[in-house]
Amino acid sequence: MIELRKPGTRDFIWNGIPLSMELNLWNVKHYEGNASMKFDGATLSFNADLHNLSALKPERFILGYPEFYYGYKPWEKHSAEGTILPAKVKSVNSLVTTIAFEIDHSTNLPLNFAPETWLTKEEYQTGASIGDVEIMIWFYSNNLTPGGKMIRTIQIPYILNGEKKTQNWELWHAEWEWDYLAFRLENPVKNGKITFDLKPFLEAAKEVLSESSRVRNFDELYFTVWEIGTEFGGPDSKEARFNWMFKDFFLEVRP
């Protein structure tokens, strides 16, 4: 059993894949209550019952992103031993993820289930700036909207509980210190088993940014990390009660 009961990071192996779990409350200044993350060899679970919350930077909106990840995370300057990331975008032919998940939360809590990656100009950056790209894949959201504005819809297939789905994704874009892109599924999935390839999302992102004066040589950027977690909270959130369980996880990176 590997367990975290306060913000921090631990490495672990799941189905032979080197990963890092992070009890990530990056924008929480103060909280009372309990939060924990544990891996029992077959499932990764998170539970939170937090109150008297306050934000470090309310303008950043989100309070945290409890997660696990594969690769090198720029914000943590960390990777589990044995990962093959970072790798240039052009060398990632596919990245197929399979995961079964269950999410439960209080009715009004802002929350999503949104795997994400960072594409950076240098191989081992420690932050992000103009020319870097954040890409999120929102399978589920509650009382929460991606940053920026919606610029189009796009159809990208995925498999849900063994059945192929081709549904619309809203594509949102923001120009911050970096470029932010979020694909939000129009018919959200709160629980089930999903399989999807990140490559079509990368191709759509490349098309959107092809005329950008901020992002140059998209294919030459470094695909640094693959994060799977849930953003939660807002600047006015004083409590957060939610839990999730990730199981049946598999990841295949094809260079």
mmCIF file with all atom_site columns, all heavy atoms in Angstrom, residues 167-190:
data_model
loop_
_atom_site.group_PDB
_atom_site.id
_atom_site.type_symbol
_atom_site.label_atom_id
_atom_site.label_alt_id
_atom_site.label_comp_id
_atom_site.label_asym_id
_atom_site.label_entity_id
_atom_site.label_seq_id
_atom_site.pdbx_PDB_ins_code
_atom_site.Cartn_x
_atom_site.Cartn_y
_atom_site.Cartn_z
_atom_site.occupancy
_atom_site.B_iso_or_equiv
_atom_site.pdbx_formal_charge
_atom_site.auth_seq_id
_atom_site.auth_comp_id
_atom_site.auth_asym_id
_atom_site.auth_atom_id
_atom_site.pdbx_PDB_model_num
ATOM 1   N N   . GLN A 1 167 ? -18.247 11.353 -30.857 1.00 0.00 ? 167 GLN A N   1
ATOM 2   C CA  . GLN A 1 167 ? -19.101 12.427 -30.355 1.00 0.00 ? 167 GLN A CA  1
ATOM 3   C C   . GLN A 1 167 ? -18.390 13.764 -30.464 1.00 0.00 ? 167 GLN A C   1
ATOM 4   O O   . GLN A 1 167 ? -17.182 13.838 -30.712 1.00 0.00 ? 167 GLN A O   1
ATOM 5   C CB  . GLN A 1 167 ? -19.505 12.131 -28.906 1.00 0.00 ? 167 GLN A CB  1
ATOM 6   C CG  . GLN A 1 167 ? -20.366 10.884 -28.768 1.00 0.00 ? 167 GLN A CG  1
ATOM 7   C CD  . GLN A 1 167 ? -20.756 10.593 -27.330 1.00 0.00 ? 167 GLN A CD  1
ATOM 8   O OE1 . GLN A 1 167 ? -20.200 11.153 -26.393 1.00 0.00 ? 167 GLN A OE1 1
ATOM 9   N NE2 . GLN A 1 167 ? -21.728 9.718  -27.156 1.00 0.00 ? 167 GLN A NE2 1
ATOM 10  N N   . ASN A 1 168 ? -19.160 14.817 -30.255 1.00 0.00 ? 168 ASN A N   1
ATOM 11  C CA  . ASN A 1 168 ? -18.607 16.158 -30.370 1.00 0.00 ? 168 ASN A CA  1
ATOM 12  C C   . ASN A 1 168 ? -17.823 16.545 -29.114 1.00 0.00 ? 168 ASN A C   1
ATOM 13  O O   . ASN A 1 168 ? -18.227 16.257 -27.987 1.00 0.00 ? 168 ASN A O   1
ATOM 14  C CB  . ASN A 1 168 ? -19.727 17.177 -30.590 1.00 0.00 ? 168 ASN A CB  1
ATOM 15  C CG  . ASN A 1 168 ? -20.306 17.116 -31.985 1.00 0.00 ? 168 ASN A CG  1
ATOM 16  O OD1 . ASN A 1 168 ? -19.635 16.716 -32.939 1.00 0.00 ? 168 ASN A OD1 1
ATOM 17  N ND2 . ASN A 1 168 ? -21.555 17.518 -32.121 1.00 0.00 ? 168 ASN A ND2 1
ATOM 18  N N   . TRP A 1 169 ? -16.713 17.219 -29.362 1.00 0.00 ? 169 TRP A N   1
ATOM 19  C CA  . TRP A 1 169 ? -15.923 17.839 -28.310 1.00 0.00 ? 169 TRP A CA  1
ATOM 20  C C   . TRP A 1 169 ? -15.906 19.343 -28.562 1.00 0.00 ? 169 TRP A C   1
ATOM 21  O O   . TRP A 1 169 ? -15.650 19.781 -29.677 1.00 0.00 ? 169 TRP A O   1
ATOM 22  C CB  . TRP A 1 169 ? -14.486 17.326 -28.334 1.00 0.00 ? 169 TRP A CB  1
ATOM 23  C CG  . TRP A 1 169 ? -14.329 15.862 -28.121 1.00 0.00 ? 169 TRP A CG  1
ATOM 24  C CD1 . TRP A 1 169 ? -14.540 14.859 -29.025 1.00 0.00 ? 169 TRP A CD1 1
ATOM 25  C CD2 . TRP A 1 169 ? -13.913 15.218 -26.906 1.00 0.00 ? 169 TRP A CD2 1
ATOM 26  N NE1 . TRP A 1 169 ? -14.274 13.631 -28.464 1.00 0.00 ? 169 TRP A NE1 1
ATOM 27  C CE2 . TRP A 1 169 ? -13.877 13.827 -27.155 1.00 0.00 ? 169 TRP A CE2 1
ATOM 28  C CE3 . TRP A 1 169 ? -13.553 15.682 -25.639 1.00 0.00 ? 169 TRP A CE3 1
ATOM 29  C CZ2 . TRP A 1 169 ? -13.506 12.891 -26.186 1.00 0.00 ? 169 TRP A CZ2 1
ATOM 30  C CZ3 . TRP A 1 169 ? -13.178 14.760 -24.677 1.00 0.00 ? 169 TRP A CZ3 1
ATOM 31  C CH2 . TRP A 1 169 ? -13.169 13.380 -24.944 1.00 0.00 ? 169 TRP A CH2 1
ATOM 32  N N   . GLU A 1 170 ? -16.189 20.124 -27.539 1.00 0.00 ? 170 GLU A N   1
ATOM 33  C CA  . GLU A 1 170 ? -15.976 21.566 -27.623 1.00 0.00 ? 170 GLU A CA  1
ATOM 34  C C   . GLU A 1 170 ? -14.474 21.826 -27.493 1.00 0.00 ? 170 GLU A C   1
ATOM 35  O O   . GLU A 1 170 ? -13.802 21.236 -26.646 1.00 0.00 ? 170 GLU A O   1
ATOM 36  C CB  . GLU A 1 170 ? -16.687 22.281 -26.475 1.00 0.00 ? 170 GLU A CB  1
ATOM 37  C CG  . GLU A 1 170 ? -18.184 22.068 -26.423 1.00 0.00 ? 170 GLU A CG  1
ATOM 38  C CD  . GLU A 1 170 ? -18.782 22.587 -25.137 1.00 0.00 ? 170 GLU A CD  1
ATOM 39  O OE1 . GLU A 1 170 ? -18.004 22.962 -24.217 1.00 0.00 ? 170 GLU A OE1 1
ATOM 40  O OE2 . GLU A 1 170 ? -20.013 22.607 -25.036 1.00 0.00 ? 170 GLU A OE2 1
ATOM 41  N N   . LEU A 1 171 ? -13.961 22.705 -28.311 1.00 0.00 ? 171 LEU A N   1
ATOM 42  C CA  . LEU A 1 171 ? -12.545 23.072 -28.230 1.00 0.00 ? 171 LEU A CA  1
ATOM 43  C C   . LEU A 1 171 ? -12.428 24.505 -27.734 1.00 0.00 ? 171 LEU A C   1
ATOM 44  O O   . LEU A 1 171 ? -12.936 25.433 -28.368 1.00 0.00 ? 171 LEU A O   1
ATOM 45  C CB  . LEU A 1 171 ? -11.875 22.911 -29.584 1.00 0.00 ? 171 LEU A CB  1
ATOM 46  C CG  . LEU A 1 171 ? -10.398 23.318 -29.678 1.00 0.00 ? 171 LEU A CG  1
ATOM 47  C CD1 . LEU A 1 171 ? -9.572  22.667 -28.587 1.00 0.00 ? 171 LEU A CD1 1
ATOM 48  C CD2 . LEU A 1 171 ? -9.837  22.988 -31.062 1.00 0.00 ? 171 LEU A CD2 1
ATOM 49  N N   . TRP A 1 172 ? -11.794 24.670 -26.592 1.00 0.00 ? 172 TRP A N   1
ATOM 50  C CA  . TRP A 1 172 ? -11.604 25.974 -25.945 1.00 0.00 ? 172 TRP A CA  1
ATOM 51  C C   . TRP A 1 172 ? -10.145 26.386 -26.043 1.00 0.00 ? 172 TRP A C   1
ATOM 52  O O   . TRP A 1 172 ? -9.244  25.548 -25.989 1.00 0.00 ? 172 TRP A O   1
ATOM 53  C CB  . TRP A 1 172 ? -12.026 25.909 -24.479 1.00 0.00 ? 172 TRP A CB  1
ATOM 54  C CG  . TRP A 1 172 ? -13.490 25.648 -24.270 1.00 0.00 ? 172 TRP A CG  1
ATOM 55  C CD1 . TRP A 1 172 ? -14.194 24.506 -24.567 1.00 0.00 ? 172 TRP A CD1 1
ATOM 56  C CD2 . TRP A 1 172 ? -14.436 26.549 -23.707 1.00 0.00 ? 172 TRP A CD2 1
ATOM 57  N NE1 . TRP A 1 172 ? -15.516 24.641 -24.236 1.00 0.00 ? 172 TRP A NE1 1
ATOM 58  C CE2 . TRP A 1 172 ? -15.697 25.891 -23.695 1.00 0.00 ? 172 TRP A CE2 1
ATOM 59  C CE3 . TRP A 1 172 ? -14.358 27.848 -23.204 1.00 0.00 ? 172 TRP A CE3 1
ATOM 60  C CZ2 . TRP A 1 172 ? -16.852 26.488 -23.207 1.00 0.00 ? 172 TRP A CZ2 1
ATOM 61  C CZ3 . TRP A 1 172 ? -15.499 28.446 -22.708 1.00 0.00 ? 172 TRP A CZ3 1
ATOM 62  C CH2 . TRP A 1 172 ? -16.740 27.779 -22.719 1.00 0.00 ? 172 TRP A CH2 1
ATOM 63  N N   . HIS A 1 173 ? -9.930  27.694 -26.186 1.00 0.00 ? 173 HIS A N   1
ATOM 64  C CA  . HIS A 1 173 ? -8.562  28.198 -26.346 1.00 0.00 ? 173 HIS A CA  1
ATOM 65  C C   . HIS A 1 173 ? -8.386  29.480 -25.539 1.00 0.00 ? 173 HIS A C   1
ATOM 66  O O   . HIS A 1 173 ? -9.280  30.328 -25.481 1.00 0.00 ? 173 HIS A O   1
ATOM 67  C CB  . HIS A 1 173 ? -8.281  28.486 -27.827 1.00 0.00 ? 173 HIS A CB  1
ATOM 68  C CG  . HIS A 1 173 ? -6.892  28.987 -28.084 1.00 0.00 ? 173 HIS A CG  1
ATOM 69  N ND1 . HIS A 1 173 ? -6.625  29.987 -28.992 1.00 0.00 ? 173 HIS A ND1 1
ATOM 70  C CD2 . HIS A 1 173 ? -5.677  28.645 -27.548 1.00 0.00 ? 173 HIS A CD2 1
ATOM 71  C CE1 . HIS A 1 173 ? -5.325  30.226 -29.019 1.00 0.00 ? 173 HIS A CE1 1
ATOM 72  N NE2 . HIS A 1 173 ? -4.731  29.425 -28.151 1.00 0.00 ? 173 HIS A NE2 1
ATOM 73  N N   . ALA A 1 174 ? -7.228  29.585 -24.902 1.00 0.00 ? 174 ALA A N   1
ATOM 74  C CA  . ALA A 1 174 ? -6.865  30.815 -24.187 1.00 0.00 ? 174 ALA A CA  1
ATOM 75  C C   . ALA A 1 174 ? -5.394  31.089 -24.414 1.00 0.00 ? 174 ALA A C   1
ATOM 76  O O   . ALA A 1 174 ? -4.572  30.158 -24.500 1.00 0.00 ? 174 ALA A O   1
ATOM 77  C CB  . ALA A 1 174 ? -7.150  30.681 -22.700 1.00 0.00 ? 174 ALA A CB  1
ATOM 78  N N   . GLU A 1 175 ? -5.060  32.352 -24.529 1.00 0.00 ? 175 GLU A N   1
ATOM 79  C CA  . GLU A 1 175 ? -3.663  32.782 -24.595 1.00 0.00 ? 175 GLU A CA  1
ATOM 80  C C   . GLU A 1 175 ? -3.297  33.398 -23.253 1.00 0.00 ? 175 GLU A C   1
ATOM 81  O O   . GLU A 1 175 ? -3.658  34.535 -22.961 1.00 0.00 ? 175 GLU A O   1
ATOM 82  C CB  . GLU A 1 175 ? -3.456  33.779 -25.747 1.00 0.00 ? 175 GLU A CB  1
ATOM 83  C CG  . GLU A 1 175 ? -3.629  33.158 -27.121 1.00 0.00 ? 175 GLU A CG  1
ATOM 84  C CD  . GLU A 1 175 ? -3.341  34.136 -28.243 1.00 0.00 ? 175 GLU A CD  1
ATOM 85  O OE1 . GLU A 1 175 ? -3.287  35.355 -27.978 1.00 0.00 ? 175 GLU A OE1 1
ATOM 86  O OE2 . GLU A 1 175 ? -3.171  33.685 -29.396 1.00 0.00 ? 175 GLU A OE2 1
ATOM 87  N N   . TRP A 1 176 ? -2.618  32.635 -22.446 1.00 0.00 ? 176 TRP A N   1
ATOM 88  C CA  . TRP A 1 176 ? -2.133  33.100 -21.145 1.00 0.00 ? 176 TRP A CA  1
ATOM 89  C C   . TRP A 1 176 ? -0.622  33.283 -21.245 1.00 0.00 ? 176 TRP A C   1
ATOM 90  O O   . TRP A 1 176 ? -0.126  33.710 -22.270 1.00 0.00 ? 176 TRP A O   1
ATOM 91  C CB  . TRP A 1 176 ? -2.517  32.086 -20.062 1.00 0.00 ? 176 TRP A CB  1
ATOM 92  C CG  . TRP A 1 176 ? -3.999  31.940 -19.866 1.00 0.00 ? 176 TRP A CG  1
ATOM 93  C CD1 . TRP A 1 176 ? -4.949  32.901 -20.081 1.00 0.00 ? 176 TRP A CD1 1
ATOM 94  C CD2 . TRP A 1 176 ? -4.714  30.777 -19.432 1.00 0.00 ? 176 TRP A CD2 1
ATOM 95  N NE1 . TRP A 1 176 ? -6.208  32.410 -19.801 1.00 0.00 ? 176 TRP A NE1 1
ATOM 96  C CE2 . TRP A 1 176 ? -6.086  31.115 -19.390 1.00 0.00 ? 176 TRP A CE2 1
ATOM 97  C CE3 . TRP A 1 176 ? -4.333  29.489 -19.058 1.00 0.00 ? 176 TRP A CE3 1
ATOM 98  C CZ2 . TRP A 1 176 ? -7.062  30.195 -18.998 1.00 0.00 ? 176 TRP A CZ2 1
ATOM 99  C CZ3 . TRP A 1 176 ? -5.297  28.586 -18.652 1.00 0.00 ? 176 TRP A CZ3 1
ATOM 100 C CH2 . TRP A 1 176 ? -6.658  28.935 -18.628 1.00 0.00 ? 176 TRP A CH2 1
ATOM 101 N N   . GLU A 1 177 ? 0.098   32.974 -20.180 1.00 0.00 ? 177 GLU A N   1
ATOM 102 C CA  . GLU A 1 177 ? 1.560   32.969 -20.280 1.00 0.00 ? 177 GLU A CA  1
ATOM 103 C C   . GLU A 1 177 ? 1.991   31.887 -21.260 1.00 0.00 ? 177 GLU A C   1
ATOM 104 O O   . GLU A 1 177 ? 3.098   31.921 -21.790 1.00 0.00 ? 177 GLU A O   1
ATOM 105 C CB  . GLU A 1 177 ? 2.176   32.719 -18.897 1.00 0.00 ? 177 GLU A CB  1
ATOM 106 C CG  . GLU A 1 177 ? 1.872   33.811 -17.879 1.00 0.00 ? 177 GLU A CG  1
ATOM 107 C CD  . GLU A 1 177 ? 2.337   33.409 -16.489 1.00 0.00 ? 177 GLU A CD  1
ATOM 108 O OE1 . GLU A 1 177 ? 3.466   32.913 -16.367 1.00 0.00 ? 177 GLU A OE1 1
ATOM 109 O OE2 . GLU A 1 177 ? 1.564   33.580 -15.540 1.00 0.00 ? 177 GLU A OE2 1
ATOM 110 N N   . TRP A 1 178 ? 1.113   30.902 -21.465 1.00 0.00 ? 178 TRP A N   1
ATOM 111 C CA  . TRP A 1 178 ? 1.283   29.839 -22.450 1.00 0.00 ? 178 TRP A CA  1
ATOM 112 C C   . TRP A 1 178 ? -0.037  29.720 -23.219 1.00 0.00 ? 178 TRP A C   1
ATOM 113 O O   . TRP A 1 178 ? -1.023  30.388 -22.880 1.00 0.00 ? 178 TRP A O   1
ATOM 114 C CB  . TRP A 1 178 ? 1.628   28.520 -21.759 1.00 0.00 ? 178 TRP A CB  1
ATOM 115 C CG  . TRP A 1 178 ? 0.594   28.091 -20.759 1.00 0.00 ? 178 TRP A CG  1
ATOM 116 C CD1 . TRP A 1 178 ? -0.518  27.337 -20.978 1.00 0.00 ? 178 TRP A CD1 1
ATOM 117 C CD2 . TRP A 1 178 ? 0.559   28.422 -19.362 1.00 0.00 ? 178 TRP A CD2 1
ATOM 118 N NE1 . TRP A 1 178 ? -1.246  27.163 -19.822 1.00 0.00 ? 178 TRP A NE1 1
ATOM 119 C CE2 . TRP A 1 178 ? -0.606  27.826 -18.805 1.00 0.00 ? 178 TRP A CE2 1
ATOM 120 C CE3 . TRP A 1 178 ? 1.394   29.160 -18.515 1.00 0.00 ? 178 TRP A CE3 1
ATOM 121 C CZ2 . TRP A 1 178 ? -0.947  27.949 -17.462 1.00 0.00 ? 178 TRP A CZ2 1
ATOM 122 C CZ3 . TRP A 1 178 ? 1.052   29.282 -17.166 1.00 0.00 ? 178 TRP A CZ3 1
ATOM 123 C CH2 . TRP A 1 178 ? -0.102  28.674 -16.661 1.00 0.00 ? 178 TRP A CH2 1
ATOM 124 N N   . ASP A 1 179 ? -0.114  28.854 -24.231 1.00 0.00 ? 179 ASP A N   1
ATOM 125 C CA  . ASP A 1 179 ? -1.380  28.596 -24.917 1.00 0.00 ? 179 ASP A CA  1
ATOM 126 C C   . ASP A 1 179 ? -2.073  27.408 -24.256 1.00 0.00 ? 179 ASP A C   1
ATOM 127 O O   . ASP A 1 179 ? -1.453  26.354 -24.042 1.00 0.00 ? 179 ASP A O   1
ATOM 128 C CB  . ASP A 1 179 ? -1.143  28.312 -26.400 1.00 0.00 ? 179 ASP A CB  1
ATOM 129 C CG  . ASP A 1 179 ? -1.097  29.582 -27.220 1.00 0.00 ? 179 ASP A CG  1
ATOM 130 O OD1 . ASP A 1 179 ? -0.130  30.353 -27.052 1.00 0.00 ? 179 ASP A OD1 1
ATOM 131 O OD2 . ASP A 1 179 ? -2.021  29.808 -28.021 1.00 0.00 ? 179 ASP A OD2 1
ATOM 132 N N   . TYR A 1 180 ? -3.358  27.603 -23.976 1.00 0.00 ? 180 TYR A N   1
ATOM 133 C CA  . TYR A 1 180 ? -4.180  26.590 -23.297 1.00 0.00 ? 180 TYR A CA  1
ATOM 134 C C   . TYR A 1 180 ? -5.251  26.104 -24.255 1.00 0.00 ? 180 TYR A C   1
ATOM 135 O O   . TYR A 1 180 ? -5.957  26.906 -24.869 1.00 0.00 ? 180 TYR A O   1
ATOM 136 C CB  . TYR A 1 180 ? -4.805  27.224 -22.061 1.00 0.00 ? 180 TYR A CB  1
ATOM 137 C CG  . TYR A 1 180 ? -5.962  26.484 -21.420 1.00 0.00 ? 180 TYR A CG  1
ATOM 138 C CD1 . TYR A 1 180 ? -5.744  25.597 -20.364 1.00 0.00 ? 180 TYR A CD1 1
ATOM 139 C CD2 . TYR A 1 180 ? -7.275  26.699 -21.840 1.00 0.00 ? 180 TYR A CD2 1
ATOM 140 C CE1 . TYR A 1 180 ? -6.806  24.944 -19.748 1.00 0.00 ? 180 TYR A CE1 1
ATOM 141 C CE2 . TYR A 1 180 ? -8.341  26.048 -21.234 1.00 0.00 ? 180 TYR A CE2 1
ATOM 142 C CZ  . TYR A 1 180 ? -8.102  25.175 -20.190 1.00 0.00 ? 180 TYR A CZ  1
ATOM 143 O OH  . TYR A 1 180 ? -9.159  24.528 -19.586 1.00 0.00 ? 180 TYR A OH  1
ATOM 144 N N   . LEU A 1 181 ? -5.360  24.789 -24.403 1.00 0.00 ? 181 LEU A N   1
ATOM 145 C CA  . LEU A 1 181 ? -6.405  24.182 -25.214 1.00 0.00 ? 181 LEU A CA  1
ATOM 146 C C   . LEU A 1 181 ? -7.113  23.122 -24.377 1.00 0.00 ? 181 LEU A C   1
ATOM 147 O O   . LEU A 1 181 ? -6.455  22.291 -23.732 1.00 0.00 ? 181 LEU A O   1
ATOM 148 C CB  . LEU A 1 181 ? -5.829  23.531 -26.464 1.00 0.00 ? 181 LEU A CB  1
ATOM 149 C CG  . LEU A 1 181 ? -5.265  24.461 -27.539 1.00 0.00 ? 181 LEU A CG  1
ATOM 150 C CD1 . LEU A 1 181 ? -4.482  23.663 -28.561 1.00 0.00 ? 181 LEU A CD1 1
ATOM 151 C CD2 . LEU A 1 181 ? -6.368  25.242 -28.215 1.00 0.00 ? 181 LEU A CD2 1
ATOM 152 N N   . ALA A 1 182 ? -8.443  23.155 -24.370 1.00 0.00 ? 182 ALA A N   1
ATOM 153 C CA  . ALA A 1 182 ? -9.226  22.154 -23.642 1.00 0.00 ? 182 ALA A CA  1
ATOM 154 C C   . ALA A 1 182 ? -10.295 21.594 -24.573 1.00 0.00 ? 182 ALA A C   1
ATOM 155 O O   . ALA A 1 182 ? -11.062 22.347 -25.186 1.00 0.00 ? 182 ALA A O   1
ATOM 156 C CB  . ALA A 1 182 ? -9.873  22.762 -22.404 1.00 0.00 ? 182 ALA A CB  1
ATOM 157 N N   . PHE A 1 183 ? -10.330 20.280 -24.680 1.00 0.00 ? 183 PHE A N   1
ATOM 158 C CA  . PHE A 1 183 ? -11.367 19.575 -25.416 1.00 0.00 ? 183 PHE A CA  1
ATOM 159 C C   . PHE A 1 183 ? -12.379 19.066 -24.382 1.00 0.00 ? 183 PHE A C   1
ATOM 160 O O   . PHE A 1 183 ? -12.035 18.223 -23.545 1.00 0.00 ? 183 PHE A O   1
ATOM 161 C CB  . PHE A 1 183 ? -10.774 18.390 -26.179 1.00 0.00 ? 183 PHE A CB  1
ATOM 162 C CG  . PHE A 1 183 ? -9.774  18.760 -27.241 1.00 0.00 ? 183 PHE A CG  1
ATOM 163 C CD1 . PHE A 1 183 ? -8.449  19.021 -26.907 1.00 0.00 ? 183 PHE A CD1 1
ATOM 164 C CD2 . PHE A 1 183 ? -10.153 18.822 -28.575 1.00 0.00 ? 183 PHE A CD2 1
ATOM 165 C CE1 . PHE A 1 183 ? -7.516  19.341 -27.885 1.00 0.00 ? 183 PHE A CE1 1
ATOM 166 C CE2 . PHE A 1 183 ? -9.229  19.140 -29.563 1.00 0.00 ? 183 PHE A CE2 1
ATOM 167 C CZ  . PHE A 1 183 ? -7.905  19.410 -29.214 1.00 0.00 ? 183 PHE A CZ  1
ATOM 168 N N   . ARG A 1 184 ? -13.620 19.563 -24.457 1.00 0.00 ? 184 ARG A N   1
ATOM 169 C CA  . ARG A 1 184 ? -14.633 19.153 -23.485 1.00 0.00 ? 184 ARG A CA  1
ATOM 170 C C   . ARG A 1 184 ? -15.726 18.338 -24.179 1.00 0.00 ? 184 ARG A C   1
ATOM 171 O O   . ARG A 1 184 ? -16.369 18.805 -25.113 1.00 0.00 ? 184 ARG A O   1
ATOM 172 C CB  . ARG A 1 184 ? -15.264 20.362 -22.778 1.00 0.00 ? 184 ARG A CB  1
ATOM 173 C CG  . ARG A 1 184 ? -16.274 19.932 -21.714 1.00 0.00 ? 184 ARG A CG  1
ATOM 174 C CD  . ARG A 1 184 ? -16.698 21.064 -20.810 1.00 0.00 ? 184 ARG A CD  1
ATOM 175 N NE  . ARG A 1 184 ? -17.542 22.047 -21.468 1.00 0.00 ? 184 ARG A NE  1
ATOM 176 C CZ  . ARG A 1 184 ? -18.282 22.950 -20.817 1.00 0.00 ? 184 ARG A CZ  1
ATOM 177 N NH1 . ARG A 1 184 ? -18.237 23.012 -19.485 1.00 0.00 ? 184 ARG A NH1 1
ATOM 178 N NH2 . ARG A 1 184 ? -19.018 23.817 -21.485 1.00 0.00 ? 184 ARG A NH2 1
ATOM 179 N N   . LEU A 1 185 ? -15.931 17.115 -23.701 1.00 0.00 ? 185 LEU A N   1
ATOM 180 C CA  . LEU A 1 185 ? -16.928 16.225 -24.276 1.00 0.00 ? 185 LEU A CA  1
ATOM 181 C C   . LEU A 1 185 ? -18.329 16.786 -24.035 1.00 0.00 ? 185 LEU A C   1
ATOM 182 O O   . LEU A 1 185 ? -18.688 17.140 -22.909 1.00 0.00 ? 185 LEU A O   1
ATOM 183 C CB  . LEU A 1 185 ? -16.794 14.838 -23.630 1.00 0.00 ? 185 LEU A CB  1
ATOM 184 C CG  . LEU A 1 185 ? -17.558 13.677 -24.255 1.00 0.00 ? 185 LEU A CG  1
ATOM 185 C CD1 . LEU A 1 185 ? -17.148 13.450 -25.706 1.00 0.00 ? 185 LEU A CD1 1
ATOM 186 C CD2 . LEU A 1 185 ? -17.327 12.406 -23.434 1.00 0.00 ? 185 LEU A CD2 1
ATOM 187 N N   . GLU A 1 186 ? -19.125 16.889 -25.127 1.00 0.00 ? 186 GLU A N   1
ATOM 188 C CA  . GLU A 1 186 ? -20.464 17.451 -24.999 1.00 0.00 ? 186 GLU A CA  1
ATOM 189 C C   . GLU A 1 186 ? -21.387 16.554 -24.185 1.00 0.00 ? 186 GLU A C   1
ATOM 190 O O   . GLU A 1 186 ? -22.315 17.042 -23.535 1.00 0.00 ? 186 GLU A O   1
ATOM 191 C CB  . GLU A 1 186 ? -21.064 17.727 -26.386 1.00 0.00 ? 186 GLU A CB  1
ATOM 192 C CG  . GLU A 1 186 ? -20.437 18.924 -27.085 1.00 0.00 ? 186 GLU A CG  1
ATOM 193 C CD  . GLU A 1 186 ? -21.197 19.318 -28.342 1.00 0.00 ? 186 GLU A CD  1
ATOM 194 O OE1 . GLU A 1 186 ? -22.078 18.553 -28.787 1.00 0.00 ? 186 GLU A OE1 1
ATOM 195 O OE2 . GLU A 1 186 ? -20.911 20.402 -28.882 1.00 0.00 ? 186 GLU A OE2 1
ATOM 196 N N   . ASN A 1 187 ? -21.175 15.236 -24.225 1.00 0.00 ? 187 ASN A N   1
ATOM 197 C CA  . ASN A 1 187 ? -21.949 14.292 -23.414 1.00 0.00 ? 187 ASN A CA  1
ATOM 198 C C   . ASN A 1 187 ? -21.017 13.698 -22.366 1.00 0.00 ? 187 ASN A C   1
ATOM 199 O O   . ASN A 1 187 ? -20.363 12.675 -22.610 1.00 0.00 ? 187 ASN A O   1
ATOM 200 C CB  . ASN A 1 187 ? -22.543 13.189 -24.293 1.00 0.00 ? 187 ASN A CB  1
ATOM 201 C CG  . ASN A 1 187 ? -23.524 13.742 -25.311 1.00 0.00 ? 187 ASN A CG  1
ATOM 202 O OD1 . ASN A 1 187 ? -24.476 14.432 -24.952 1.00 0.00 ? 187 ASN A OD1 1
ATOM 203 N ND2 . ASN A 1 187 ? -23.288 13.452 -26.571 1.00 0.00 ? 187 ASN A ND2 1
ATOM 204 N N   . PRO A 1 188 ? -20.913 14.339 -21.195 1.00 0.00 ? 188 PRO A N   1
ATOM 205 C CA  . PRO A 1 188 ? -19.893 13.957 -20.224 1.00 0.00 ? 188 PRO A CA  1
ATOM 206 C C   . PRO A 1 188 ? -20.068 12.544 -19.681 1.00 0.00 ? 188 PRO A C   1
ATOM 207 O O   . PRO A 1 188 ? -21.174 12.017 -19.610 1.00 0.00 ? 188 PRO A O   1
ATOM 208 C CB  . PRO A 1 188 ? -20.054 15.005 -19.115 1.00 0.00 ? 188 PRO A CB  1
ATOM 209 C CG  . PRO A 1 188 ? -21.440 15.539 -19.275 1.00 0.00 ? 188 PRO A CG  1
ATOM 210 C CD  . PRO A 1 188 ? -21.743 15.471 -20.727 1.00 0.00 ? 188 PRO A CD  1
ATOM 211 N N   . VAL A 1 189 ? -18.939 11.948 -19.296 1.00 0.00 ? 189 VAL A N   1
ATOM 212 C CA  . VAL A 1 189 ? -18.894 10.594 -18.749 1.00 0.00 ? 189 VAL A CA  1
ATOM 213 C C   . VAL A 1 189 ? -18.400 10.690 -17.305 1.00 0.00 ? 189 VAL A C   1
ATOM 214 O O   . VAL A 1 189 ? -17.254 11.070 -17.064 1.00 0.00 ? 189 VAL A O   1
ATOM 215 C CB  . VAL A 1 189 ? -17.960 9.684  -19.571 1.00 0.00 ? 189 VAL A CB  1
ATOM 216 C CG1 . VAL A 1 189 ? -17.895 8.293  -18.943 1.00 0.00 ? 189 VAL A CG1 1
ATOM 217 C CG2 . VAL A 1 189 ? -18.416 9.613  -21.014 1.00 0.00 ? 189 VAL A CG2 1
ATOM 218 N N   . LYS A 1 190 ? -19.259 10.326 -16.351 1.00 0.00 ? 190 LYS A N   1
ATOM 219 C CA  . LYS A 1 190 ? -18.908 10.418 -14.931 1.00 0.00 ? 190 LYS A CA  1
ATOM 220 C C   . LYS A 1 190 ? -18.283 9.144  -14.405 1.00 0.00 ? 190 LYS A C   1
ATOM 221 O O   . LYS A 1 190 ? -17.515 9.172  -13.440 1.00 0.00 ? 190 LYS A O   1
ATOM 222 C CB  . LYS A 1 190 ? -20.159 10.763 -14.110 1.00 0.00 ? 190 LYS A CB  1
ATOM 223 C CG  . LYS A 1 190 ? -19.865 11.126 -12.658 1.00 0.00 ? 190 LYS A CG  1
ATOM 224 C CD  . LYS A 1 190 ? -21.130 11.551 -11.938 1.00 0.00 ? 190 LYS A CD  1
ATOM 225 C CE  . LYS A 1 190 ? -20.833 11.973 -10.513 1.00 0.00 ? 190 LYS A CE  1
ATOM 226 N NZ  . LYS A 1 190 ? -22.062 12.382 -9.791  1.00 0.00 ? 190 LYS A NZ  1
#
